Amino acid sequence: MAFQLGEHGSSIVTAARRAFGYRRGPAMTRGRLITIEGVDGAGKSTLAAGIVTALASRGIEVTSLREPGSVQTAERIRALVKDPGARIAARSEALLYAAARAQLVQEALEPLLVRGRLVLLDRFVDSSLAYQGAGRRLGIAAVRAVNEFATGGLAPDRTLLLVLDPATARARSASRDLPPDRLEQGGDEFFERIAAAYDQLAASEPDRFRRLDASRRPDLVLADALAAIDDLL
């Protein structure tokens, strides 16, 4: 069941942009935002660390962040939404993720991009579209509208989508010596809806998304990722 911002949604987004003080700098001086997406267990954290190391070896500085988190308020929300003992309704979950995202954008992302920095972000709006929009069945359009407001319309320059069969991804997650968090406790159908949503999102924005076969060895996935962002470096 979807929820809507209503007919004033676009004006709310405009107001948010003004309130947050977002200013687009000259195209040649503004930084780049690269995001990594995929189901849990696809290897996002491993890929992010590999990209940072590979770029550093080339003398390219990159700021690596994660969602939800990376700033104090967002990290507190992260602890809440991942707590397996927390009872959080689907709409509340979507709004909590959006709140953490709004704080990250205002406090870290936008200032870094204005200063011309290259930012690598583990998850962004696409995660909410897939997990809450499709996985929780709130509706992708409704969740997108909430996040437009939360981010002031900030969008990645490139999104690396790690494509992996949900069953394989869940097996990888289960092999880690860690208890599953609240989202990881979702059933097979939950993660199948998420994977299908990611496929749809990638198909709808082929210029932004780059699909990477996450079943390959980590070093090969890293090589694919570096090739996929080379034009932004």
Side-chain angles (χ1 to χ4, degrees):
M1 181 177 180
F3 60 99
Q4 304 293 335
L5 278 183
E7 61 181 0
H8 301 299
S10 61
S11 61
I12 291 175
V13 171
T14 300
R17 290 171 175 161
R18 291 173 180 169
F20 291 165
Y22 297 160
R23 295 292 184 273
R24 296 288 184 182
M28 296 301 292
T29 61
R30 187 172 172 82
R32 298 287 194 174
L33 175 59
I34 299 169
T35 58
I36 303 176
E37 294 285 354
V39 297
D40 289 284
K44 295 180 303 301
S45 298
T46 299
L47 178 59
I51 290 174
V52 170
T53 300
L55 294 185
S57 71
R58 302 184 193 177
I60 300 173
E61 186 176 0
V62 55
T63 300
S64 182
L65 303 172
R66 70 175 183 177
E67 268 215 339
S70 297
V71 296
Q72 185 179 37
T73 299
E75 285 291 341
R76 291 184 178 182
I77 295 174
R78 180 187 183 90
L80 175 61
V81 297
K82 288 186 170 291
D83 181 356
R87 296 181 60 185
I88 303 174
R91 294 188 185 192
S92 300
E93 180 180 280
L95 292 169
L96 284 167
Y97 275 103
R101 189 165 292 130
Q103 190 67 29
L104 177 64
V105 169
Q106 184 172 0
E107 190 173 336
L109 278 180
E110 189 65 22
L112 285 166
L113 294 171
V114 166
R115 295 201 301 269
R117 296 293 298 272
L118 176 64
V119 180
L120 181 65
L121 181 58
D122 184 343
R123 297 198 180 282
F124 196 45
V125 173
D126 295 305
S127 282
S128 282
L129 301 182
Y131 275 75
Q132 285 76 51
R136 298 297 191 206
R137 302 188 182 195
L138 292 175
I140 288 178
V143 175
R144 189 191 301 276
V146 170
N147 280 275
E148 279 283 319
F149 171 66
T151 65
L154 179 63
D157 295 286
R158 183 67 41 78
T159 296
L160 304 175
L161 176 59
L162 292 173
V163 180
L164 188 64
D165 175 72
T168 302
R170 296 195 72 188
R172 284 185 182 179
S173 296
S175 69
R176 297 179 301 192
D177 191 22
L178 293 170
D181 63 33
R182 198 176 59 82
L183 285 177
E184 289 172 341
Q185 292 177 343
D188 292 340
E189 291 185 0
F190 175 67
F191 284 101
E192 287 169 3
R193 289 195 298 271
I194 290 168
Y198 271 130
D199 286 342
Q200 293 169 9
L201 292 170
S204 69
E205 294 187 64
D207 291 338
R208 173 166 70 89
F209 277 88
R210 297 293 185 273
R211 295 168 56 92
L212 307 178
D213 182 355
S215 68
R216 285 154 57 86
R217 294 198 324 259
D219 60 316
L220 298 179
V221 177
L222 174 60
D224 291 343
L226 293 172
I229 63 174
D230 187 65
D231 60 314
L232 300 180
L233 305 178

